[in-house]
Amino acid sequence: MLAAYAVRADAEAPLDALVVGEIEQPQVPTGWRPVRVKAAALNHHDVWSLRGVGLAADRLPMILGCDAAGVTDDGREVIVHAVINSPDFVGTDATYDPQRSLLSERYAGTFATQVWVPSANLVDKPPELSFAEAACLPTAWLTAYRMLFSQSGARPGDTVLIQGAGGGVATALITLGRQAGMRIWVTSRDEARGARAVSLGAHQAFPAGARLPERVDAVMDGVGAATWSHSINVLKPGGTLVLCGATSGDNPPKAELTKIFFKPLRVIGSVMGTRDELISLAQMLVATGVRPHIDRILPLADAAAGFAAMIAGEHFGKIIFVP
Amino acid sequence: MLAAYAVRADAEAPLDALVVGEIEQPQVPTGWRPVRVKAAALNHHDVWSLRGVGLAADRLPMILGCDAAGVTDDGREVIVHAVINSPDFVGTDATYDPQRSLLSERYAGTFATQVWVPSANLVDKPPELSFAEAACLPTAWLTAYRMLFSQSGARPGDTVLIQGAGGGVATALITLGRQAGMRIWVTSRDEARGARAVSLGAHQAFPAGARLPERVDAVMDGVGAATWSHSINVLKPGGTLVLCGATSGDNPPKAELTKIFFKPLRVIGSVMGTRDELISLAQMLVATGVRPHIDRILPLADAAAGFAAMIAGEHFGKIIFVP
Amino acid sequence: MLAAYAVRADAEAPLDALVVGEIEQPQVPTGWRPVRVKAAALNHHDVWSLRGVGLAADRLPMILGCDAAGVTDDGREVIVHAVINSPDFVGTDATYDPQRSLLSERYAGTFATQVWVPSANLVDKPPELSFAEAACLPTAWLTAYRMLFSQSGARPGDTVLIQGAGGGVATALITLGRQAGMRIWVTSRDEARGARAVSLGAHQAFPAGARLPERVDAVMDGVGAATWSHSINVLKPGGTLVLCGATSGDNPPKAELTKIFFKPLRVIGSVMGTRDELISLAQMLVATGVRPHIDRILPLADAAAGFAAMIAGEHFGKIIFVP
Amino acid sequence: MLAAYAVRADAEAPLDALVVGEIEQPQVPTGWRPVRVKAAALNHHDVWSLRGVGLAADRLPMILGCDAAGVTDDGREVIVHAVINSPDFVGTDATYDPQRSLLSERYAGTFATQVWVPSANLVDKPPELSFAEAACLPTAWLTAYRMLFSQSGARPGDTVLIQGAGGGVATALITLGRQAGMRIWVTSRDEARGARAVSLGAHQAFPAGARLPERVDAVMDGVGAATWSHSINVLKPGGTLVLCGATSGDNPPKAELTKIFFKPLRVIGSVMGTRDELISLAQMLVATGVRPHIDRILPLADAAAGFAAMIAGEHFGKIIFVP
């Protein structure tokens, strides 16, 4: 079948590690369900896989792609939940499985005409969402939904600071937070990105590390070391820092333990989201009318052009592949 | 000072129990703060007081009015939180004080040139809200905010059913729920009210007791006996019924205990709200741009005309008095 | 294989509907795991099944028994979680599955040499618990654990009232609540049962409906109609009524909606418990040293004697069958 | 009146900064209530005050002591809640007040014949507790109660690791956690302290930094830098680190942000506790029969001997002063 897959790791020239072409259908565990992919969305995670980050050499070749929407063999229109639990996992929060993986890490991903997943990973696609829109949800948007609505403790009217406007999670946080009645502030090292954040719905944009007009109820932080002290300092006593990543490093100069216990604060780690949260997210888009911004839609055969655009940083919004 | 006050109880002709005119300043507990009233909002509670419901004869004459916004003697623009705790109350949730009262029940109300309250009952009025808008918040809108965001457990995307479109709390529930990203359904015995609910933001209106397209995550119910079984039946397992009143009676034909434990369900009583919730509500209006609908603004001297309009049911939205 | 099973429904003479003898192995869904039963515990649920309550005629003959501990074919010592979800259920709380059943309702129960369940229904038996002790946990004790520790909101030091001392759930509530640092009060219509409750750890026993020395933080109620108003009245504002049954009927004379919303109160339905709660319960017995009281241990071949003792009300504690 | 107070700061010889003798009654804010002190407990906080840590020179002389139980002028037996909020604070969690202080930091402390506090800081002393026992509660024991029962999310049966056996908070954590049905593990750099922790109720003691038999549900950490990475590493996914101090420093070599978000984990800062938690704690002691261990009871006039014992580390349990 046609697929976009990594054949090796190339930290310098990731595009050179990508092949778009025919590949044999992958071996999948018994009982997994095939989904005919109607749309799949590109994430930075896919570029990192080509660079060899998070994708072991002994799993190559690996079909890339975490996000997809499609149709099952009995005609059900579905969104694919990308968090794959180990078969032995019996807990109630999929993100607490230490053996969890995302599609394309251990099992074949979504950049193909078909993808296979456990039936618990299938969620009904609301008819109000197109396949391309639905394909945008399972990674960045699901991460943002969980951060804001399961982890932050923030209520409508509360002030939420989002560190580092620009990325996919930050964009989803701005949009979802605004649609949920929160006051949304963002920081950015780049004035144009801050302005774009405001155009997406943020109430105000600030330079990175800026002194804010008042303390905030919650901070959403995926930057890590570079923003850590600022995130700690701008919170109200009792406030919550939701941490979803550490793109600038994970060892800030000051760990700020005294402020955490004395102020006091809560720091909540968050990674991806659950099936239930994905369902609520999809319903939220229907209820509010808001949709992910799509930068371009390409045939899967032209996936290399989509990867190239992401590597060059030319895109604003999601890049979608259609098999 | 000028005030609108009840001089007796008249169950049949409540307007006859109302006097608008000069009255001596009330005795207030030591330490209470005076607020010059800039706007006060009329509630059904005020009409009930004239009918003698909830207002003991030995407290007459009583200045009416629960809701107000105004200015303190040092120039601070404030919203007045109407829940007055007993001086001995030391708990953290004002609505759990068994000795609590609303303004105009035990202490003089807001339909006057001045009102006195404990300083903990003063909340900053955001400059973005007019005094008339701010005066609409402390009763119906605060009740709705607490029901949806502190009690229901509903998240953005969840479906919330509001029983009995038309009243002040239901109107606030529709507006706030929609602004928070929820799917809002309402029931009404009256088609025109259902249509108006949709114009306020409800996604869909149903006749009272209707079979719904699917089960819901939460029900907001102030009707009581007449809607109780319907509310219980339409909930998903694990769903929440938030009960804020029982205008149709409080003893339904079936108490439905088996469904509560077997389905299972949660039933959460809710009354008014806390100071913190009032602050968040005001901030939510600023963040979303949504405002209470104001039917008319009258001089306090013409308060009788406002009461007459409410008794006749001629209004849609809040009736405001300006001293 | 040897089993104790219902062959018909007999509301008057339930023992006449019981057969203890050889029966063919039941058909079980693909993938279910066999467990060699080492001990199984008798519940009132089993007597009700013989009376035809909750067990449809077209499912007969049905092997009875909800509770068991045993050994899998690869030697793992396990407790059997009795809540069987429908294969399509994908939620995170097993008790919210509207198609859930208990063992012996739809699938063959535990009074047999073997029982089959989905692998997610197997929980490690701690070595510190005997098989007989472990077999007591999955129904009454699990129900009690969830009520107290997931639903009530009560903390150590809080006062919890348990309505109707005597039954299996009430006994477990007393023991677990006391071991968790709560102040435990019970009501009973029978003075001897009250005294026994105190011997189990209750701080104080009261006659049914008694005026209490002070209001309580939470009430655990499985009685329903007969205790409903008392349960509502004795709670503090903000208190929680956890409802797990309605053995005296489910339609009390007064539904008490006004008290629920005005006081205000929370009413939480609760039924059985989850796998995670069963694990925590077993660990709690290990950590505290407390054990279920076992009345007698009988060979499975003598199961009829155990049923007879339960019907006669001669037992105090659990009746265990050993195949 | 007789008091024990700091007259200067002496980092090297703290005893030299202590005076026990007559002092004028302190100025107190209007409306504060006098309490005749019946017993007051010594904390390390008092020694730190003598060293000048947390006690500004311009506030000297300062009567020391955070913890007390006594009698009001109308004969009410009370425990004194030591967290003093600023007069403008109106939030619902006293520990979230950025202007909060403990008795002896800004206002005169409890090592005197009388102490004055706002009436909201008075809590009924249960008659079952002696004044000396009650005086042990408001600092270390309250801190421990809040950590375990408001912050950790741990339930009976869960495993809780306490870092650094030996201090007052750790001792209270061990006792309270054990009485609440949790499995309690402790670490200690000192074998004798570990053994003592087991004698207090811990299930098992480990050397500092030890590899544990399994991962834990929650960690209670007041040590900070020296234990931070161990605390992060031993938690289960979804587990909670409650941080109440950083006696070894607040900047660990690794901040461990990646583990916090990827595992994921929750880090909850916690400081002292609320009035409601103090009430629940006192009730828990009554319900369980457990009592703080008292090392010695001294006349207030001999307070210097108590300070000397604490500085020398000769004590095990609380040192009580009786005016």
Side-chain angles (χ1 to χ4, degrees):
Chain A
M1 61 178 187
L2 180 65
Y5 54 99
V7 290
R8 56 189 181 87
D10 195 322
E12 302 305 314
L15 266 182
D16 293 356
L18 177 72
V19 171
V20 182
E22 290 295 314
I23 191 172
E24 270 189 58
Q25 288 196 357
Q27 300 279 344
V28 293
T30 311
W32 284 30
R33 301 285 305 277
V35 175
R36 187 157 45 89
V37 177
K38 301 283 284 183
L42 183 62
N43 289 289
H44 283 286
H45 185 277
D46 302 304
V47 178
W48 287 111
S49 296
L50 291 174
R51 295 189 201 271
V53 178
L55 179 54
D58 61 359
R59 287 182 183 143
L60 298 174
M62 174 62 80
I63 299 174
L64 299 174
C66 303
D67 286 353
V71 182
T72 62
D73 47 13
D74 53 356
R76 181 179 165 210
E77 298 190 352
V78 295
I79 312 176
V80 177
H81 182 212
V83 180
I84 307 294
N85 286 120
S86 83
D88 297 334
F89 181 71
V90 286
T92 53
D93 190 314
T95 74
Y96 291 174
D97 173 9
Q99 304 301 323
R100 71 181 184 271
S101 68
L102 293 188
L103 285 171
S104 81
E105 289 177 353
R106 198 169 303 159
Y107 301 103
T110 61
F111 296 163
T113 49
Q114 282 209 97
V115 64
W116 286 256
V117 291
S119 59
N121 283 65
L122 301 179
V123 161
D124 287 326
K125 181 186 79 63
E128 293 87 347
L129 301 183
S130 72
F131 284 102
E133 290 163 349
C136 299
L137 304 186
T139 301
W141 284 71
L142 176 59
T143 299
Y145 185 95
R146 178 177 176 88
M147 291 174 73
L148 282 170
F149 305 130
S150 304
Q151 311 279 39
S152 77
R155 298 191 297 193
D158 284 355
T159 303
V160 176
L161 179 73
I162 298 161
Q163 296 280 22
V169 173
T171 297
L173 285 165
I174 292 166
T175 308
L176 295 178
R178 179 62 191 259
Q179 291 291 328
M182 296 164 177
R183 179 159 68 157
I184 301 297
W185 288 353
V186 300
T187 62
S188 177
R189 287 177 304 174
D190 179 279
E191 206 171 324
R193 284 188 179 183
R196 193 181 277 166
V198 170
S199 77
L200 285 167
H203 290 86
Q204 208 167 340
F206 300 89
R211 188 177 179 83
L212 303 180
E214 58 185 82
R215 292 196 163 167
V216 304
D217 299 284
V219 176
M220 308 290 114
D221 194 337
V223 178
T227 51
W228 179 254
S229 287
H230 185 253
S231 294
I232 294 288
N233 286 324
V234 299
L235 280 166
K236 290 181 189 167
T240 301
L241 194 173
V242 184
L243 186 71
C244 72
T247 54
S248 66
D250 79 342
N251 204 17
K254 300 175 68 173
E256 307 285 11
L257 301 194
T258 296
K259 287 174 183 165
I260 292 173
F261 84 78
F262 189 76
K263 205 172 187 181
L265 301 176
R266 310 186 320 140
V267 178
I268 310 292
S270 194
V271 58
M272 299 290 294
T274 65
R275 168 196 169 80
D276 282 356
E277 289 160 341
L278 180 55
I279 294 171
S280 293
L281 165 61
Q283 291 172 334
M284 182 181 177
L285 297 203
V286 174
T288 58
V290 76
R291 295 289 182 274
H293 187 73
I294 292 174
D295 178 80
R296 70 192 78 181
I297 300 181
L298 299 171
L300 177 57
D302 298 342
F307 275 84
M310 175 169 275
I311 291 166
E314 295 164 354
H315 65 304
F316 173 55
K318 281 292 189 182
I319 298 171
I320 302 292
F321 300 143
V322 177
Chain B
M1 63 178 186
L2 179 66
Y5 54 99
V7 290
R8 56 188 181 86
D10 195 322
E12 301 306 314
L15 266 183
D16 293 356
L18 177 72
V19 171
V20 182
E22 288 295 313
I23 192 171
E24 272 187 57
Q25 287 195 0
Q27 300 277 344
V28 293
T30 312
W32 285 29
R33 300 285 305 279
V35 175
R36 187 156 47 87
V37 177
K38 301 283 283 182
L42 183 62
N43 288 290
H44 283 286
H45 185 276
D46 302 304
V47 178
W48 287 112
S49 296
L50 290 174
R51 295 188 200 271
V53 178
L55 180 52
D58 60 359
R59 286 181 185 144
L60 297 174
M62 174 59 82
I63 300 174
L64 300 175
C66 303
D67 287 353
V71 182
T72 63
D73 47 13
D74 54 355
R76 181 178 165 212
E77 298 190 352
V78 294
I79 311 176
V80 177
H81 183 212
V83 179
I84 307 294
N85 286 121
S86 83
D88 298 335
F89 181 70
V90 286
T92 53
D93 189 314
T95 75
Y96 291 174
D97 174 8
Q99 304 301 323
R100 73 181 183 270
S101 69
L102 293 188
L103 284 172
S104 80
E105 288 177 353
R106 198 170 303 162
Y107 301 104
T110 60
F111 295 164
T113 48
Q114 281 208 96
V115 65
W116 287 257
V117 292
S119 60
N121 283 66
L122 300 179
V123 162
D124 287 327
K125 182 186 79 63
E128 293 87 348
L129 301 184
S130 72
F131 284 102
E133 290 163 350
C136 298
L137 303 186
T139 302
W141 285 71
L142 176 59
T143 299
Y145 185 94
R146 179 177 175 88
M147 292 174 72
L148 283 170
F149 306 129
S150 304
Q151 310 279 38
S152 77
R155 298 192 295 193
D158 283 356
T159 304
V160 176
L161 179 72
I162 298 162
Q163 295 281 21
V169 174
T171 296
L173 285 166
I174 292 165
T175 308
L176 295 178
R178 179 62 191 259
Q179 291 291 328
M182 296 165 177
R183 179 160 67 157
I184 301 297
W185 288 353
V186 300
T187 61
S188 177
R189 286 177 306 174
D190 180 280
E191 206 170 326
R193 285 188 180 184
R196 193 180 279 165
V198 171
S199 78
L200 284 166
H203 290 86
Q204 207 168 340
F206 300 89
R211 187 178 180 83
L212 303 180
E214 59 184 83
R215 293 198 162 166
V216 303
D217 298 284
V219 175
M220 307 290 113
D221 193 338
V223 178
T227 50
W228 180 254
S229 287
H230 185 253
S231 293
I232 294 288
N233 285 324
V234 300
L235 280 165
K236 290 180 189 167
T240 300
L241 194 172
V242 184
L243 186 71
C244 72
T247 54
S248 66
D250 78 341
N251 204 17
K254 300 175 70 173
E256 307 285 11
L257 302 194
T258 296
K259 286 175 184 164
I260 292 173
F261 82 77
F262 189 76
K263 205 171 186 181
L265 301 176
R266 309 188 319 140
V267 177
I268 309 294
S270 195
V271 58
M272 298 292 294
T274 65
R275 169 196 169 80
D276 281 356
E277 289 160 342
L278 180 55
I279 293 170
S280 293
L281 164 61
Q283 291 172 334
M284 183 182 176
L285 297 203
V286 175
T288 59
V290 76
R291 294 290 181 275
H293 186 73
I294 292 174
D295 177 81
R296 70 193 78 182
I297 299 181
L298 299 171
L300 177 56
D302 299 341
F307 275 84
M310 175 170 275
I311 291 167
E314 293 165 354
H315 64 303
F316 173 56
K318 283 291 190 183
I319 298 171
I320 302 293
F321 300 142
V322 176
Chain C
M1 63 177 187
L2 180 65
Y5 54 97
V7 290
R8 58 190 180 85
D10 194 321
E12 301 306 315
L15 266 182
D16 292 357
L18 178 72
V19 171
V20 181
E22 289 294 316
I23 192 171
E24 272 187 56
Q25 288 195 359
Q27 300 278 343
V28 292
T30 312
W32 285 29
R33 299 285 306 277
V35 175
R36 186 156 47 87
V37 177
K38 301 283 283 182
L42 183 63
N43 288 290
H44 283 286
H45 185 277
D46 301 305
V47 178
W48 287 112
S49 295
L50 291 174
R51 295 189 200 270
V53 178
L55 180 54
D58 61 358
R59 285 181 184 145
L60 298 174
M62 174 60 81
I63 300 174
L64 299 174
C66 303
D67 286 353
V71 182
T72 63
D73 47 12
D74 53 357
R76 181 179 164 211
E77 299 190 352
V78 293
I79 311 176
V80 177
H81 183 212
V83 180
I84 306 295
N85 286 121
S86 81
D88 298 335
F89 181 71
V90 285
T92 53
D93 189 314
T95 75
Y96 291 175
D97 174 9
Q99 304 301 323
R100 70 180 185 270
S101 68
L102 292 188
L103 285 171
S104 81
E105 289 177 351
R106 198 170 301 160
Y107 301 103
T110 61
F111 295 163
T113 49
Q114 282 208 96
V115 64
W116 286 258
V117 292
S119 60
N121 283 66
L122 301 179
V123 162
D124 286 326
K125 181 185 79 64
E128 293 87 347
L129 301 182
S130 72
F131 284 103
E133 291 163 348
C136 299
L137 304 186
T139 302
W141 285 71
L142 176 60
T143 299
Y145 185 95
R146 178 178 176 87
M147 291 174 73
L148 283 170
F149 306 129
S150 304
Q151 311 278 39
S152 77
R155 298 192 295 193
D158 283 356
T159 304
V160 176
L161 179 73
I162 298 161
Q163 297 279 21
V169 173
T171 297
L173 285 165
I174 292 165
T175 308
L176 295 178
R178 180 61 192 260
Q179 292 291 328
M182 296 165 177
R183 179 160 67 157
I184 301 296
W185 288 353
V186 300
T187 62
S188 176
R189 286 177 305 174
D190 179 279
E191 207 171 326
R193 285 188 180 183
R196 194 180 279 166
V198 170
S199 77
L200 284 167
H203 290 86
Q204 207 169 340
F206 300 89
R211 187 177 181 82
L212 303 180
E214 58 184 82
R215 293 195 163 169
V216 304
D217 299 284
V219 176
M220 308 289 113
D221 194 338
V223 179
T227 50
W228 180 254
S229 286
H230 185 253
S231 294
I232 294 287
N233 286 325
V234 300
L235 280 166
K236 290 179 190 167
T240 301
L241 195 172
V242 184
L243 186 73
C244 72
T247 54
S248 67
D250 78 341
N251 203 17
K254 298 174 71 173
E256 307 285 10
L257 302 194
T258 296
K259 286 174 184 164
I260 292 173
F261 82 78
F262 189 75
K263 204 172 187 181
L265 301 175
R266 309 187 320 139
V267 178
I268 309 293
S270 194
V271 57
M272 299 292 293
T274 65
R275 168 196 171 81
D276 281 356
E277 289 160 341
L278 181 54
I279 294 170
S280 293
L281 164 62
Q283 290 172 333
M284 182 181 177
L285 297 203
V286 175
T288 59
V290 76
R291 294 290 182 274
H293 187 73
I294 292 174
D295 177 81
R296 70 193 79 182
I297 300 181
L298 298 171
L300 177 57
D302 298 341
F307 275 84
M310 176 169 276
I311 291 167
E314 294 164 354
H315 63 304
F316 173 55
K318 282 291 190 183
I319 298 171
I320 302 291
F321 300 142
V322 176
Chain D
M1 62 179 187
L2 180 66
Y5 54 97
V7 290
R8 55 188 182 88
D10 195 321
E12 300 307 314
L15 266 182
D16 292 356
L18 177 72
V19 171
V20 182
E22 289 295 314
I23 191 171
E24 271 187 59
Q25 288 196 359
Q27 301 277 344
V28 292
T30 311
W32 284 30
R33 300 284 305 278
V35 175
R36 186 157 46 88
V37 177
K38 301 283 283 182
L42 183 63
N43 288 290
H44 283 285
H45 185 277
D46 302 304
V47 178
W48 287 111
S49 296
L50 290 174
R51 294 189 200 271
V53 178
L55 180 54
D58 60 359
R59 287 183 183 141
L60 297 174
M62 174 60 80
I63 300 174
L64 299 175
C66 303
D67 286 353
V71 181
T72 62
D73 48 13
D74 53 356
R76 181 178 165 212
E77 299 190 352
V78 295
I79 312 175
V80 177
H81 183 212
V83 180
I84 307 295
N85 286 120
S86 83
D88 298 334
F89 181 70
V90 286
T92 54
D93 189 314
T95 74
Y96 292 174
D97 174 9
Q99 304 301 323
R100 71 180 184 270
S101 68
L102 292 188
L103 285 172
S104 80
E105 288 178 351
R106 197 170 303 159
Y107 300 104
T110 62
F111 296 163
T113 49
Q114 282 208 96
V115 65
W116 287 257
V117 291
S119 60
N121 283 65
L122 301 179
V123 162
D124 288 326
K125 181 186 79 62
E128 293 87 346
L129 301 183
S130 71
F131 284 103
E133 290 163 348
C136 298
L137 304 186
T139 301
W141 285 71
L142 177 59
T143 299
Y145 185 94
R146 179 178 175 88
M147 291 174 73
L148 282 170
F149 306 129
S150 304
Q151 310 280 39
S152 77
R155 298 192 297 192
D158 284 355
T159 303
V160 176
L161 179 73
I162 298 160
Q163 296 280 22
V169 173
T171 297
L173 285 166
I174 292 166
T175 308
L176 295 178
R178 179 61 191 259
Q179 291 292 327
M182 296 165 177
R183 180 159 66 157
I184 301 297
W185 288 353
V186 299
T187 62
S188 177
R189 286 176 304 174
D190 179 278
E191 206 171 326
R193 285 189 180 183
R196 193 180 279 167
V198 170
S199 78
L200 285 168
H203 290 86
Q204 208 167 339
F206 299 89
R211 188 179 180 81
L212 303 180
E214 58 186 84
R215 292 195 163 169
V216 304
D217 298 285
V219 176
M220 308 290 113
D221 193 338
V223 179
T227 51
W228 179 255
S229 287
H230 185 253
S231 294
I232 293 288
N233 286 325
V234 299
L235 280 166
K236 291 180 189 167
T240 301
L241 194 173
V242 184
L243 186 73
C244 71
T247 54
S248 67
D250 79 341
N251 204 16
K254 299 174 69 174
E256 307 286 9
L257 302 193
T258 297
K259 286 174 184 165
I260 292 173
F261 82 78
F262 189 76
K263 205 172 187 181
L265 301 176
R266 309 187 320 139
V267 177
I268 309 293
S270 194
V271 58
M272 299 291 294
T274 66
R275 169 195 169 80
D276 281 356
E277 289 160 342
L278 180 55
I279 293 171
S280 293
L281 164 62
Q283 291 173 334
M284 182 181 176
L285 297 203
V286 175
T288 59
V290 76
R291 294 290 181 276
H293 187 73
I294 293 174
D295 178 81
R296 72 192 77 181
I297 300 182
L298 298 171
L300 177 56
D302 298 342
F307 275 84
M310 176 169 274
I311 291 166
E314 295 164 353
H315 65 304
F316 172 55
K318 282 291 189 182
I319 298 171
I320 304 291
F321 300 143
V322 177

